[in-house]
Amino acid sequence: MSVTTVRLQAEVEQHLEAIASRLHRSKGWVINQALSEYIEKQQREQERWQQTLEAMESAAQGKVVDAGEVHDWLSSWGADNERDAPESGK
């Protein structure tokens, strides 16, 4: 494990100490948890952005599905005659 030094605003330090005390954990543990959650969130956002770019490229290439077909497909979920997902105009 490595050591990193950060400067915290006084208010942030006070909140950090209060959280650590309430949880009976060290400030380092709280900071590690917070940063891990932040990093995971950033990774999910990056993945969503990449998916958005790929979807936009697909749409630009005409790979789209009519909204009516999608609606009909979704409406069939759970029914005896449930439909397969509609395919794009490849």
Side-chain angles (χ1 to χ4, degrees), residues 17-36:
E17 287 177 359
I19 292 168
S21 176
R22 187 176 71 245
L23 297 175
H24 303 289
R25 296 288 191 155
S26 69
K27 291 188 296 184
W29 184 89
V30 174
I31 291 169
N32 249 322
Q33 290 297 111
L35 285 174
S36 292

Side-chain angles (χ1 to χ4, degrees), residues 28-62:
W29 184 89
V30 174
I31 291 169
N32 249 322
Q33 290 297 111
L35 285 174
S36 292
E37 289 177 21
Y38 177 80
I39 290 167
E40 286 177 23
K41 180 182 176 207
Q42 290 299 312
Q43 289 173 333
R44 282 191 309 271
E45 288 181 10
Q46 183 62 36
E47 288 172 14
R48 287 184 189 128
W49 178 243
Q50 187 60 42
Q51 290 170 347
T52 299
L53 293 175
E54 290 169 6
M56 291 172 65
E57 179 62 28
S58 290
Q61 294 174 6

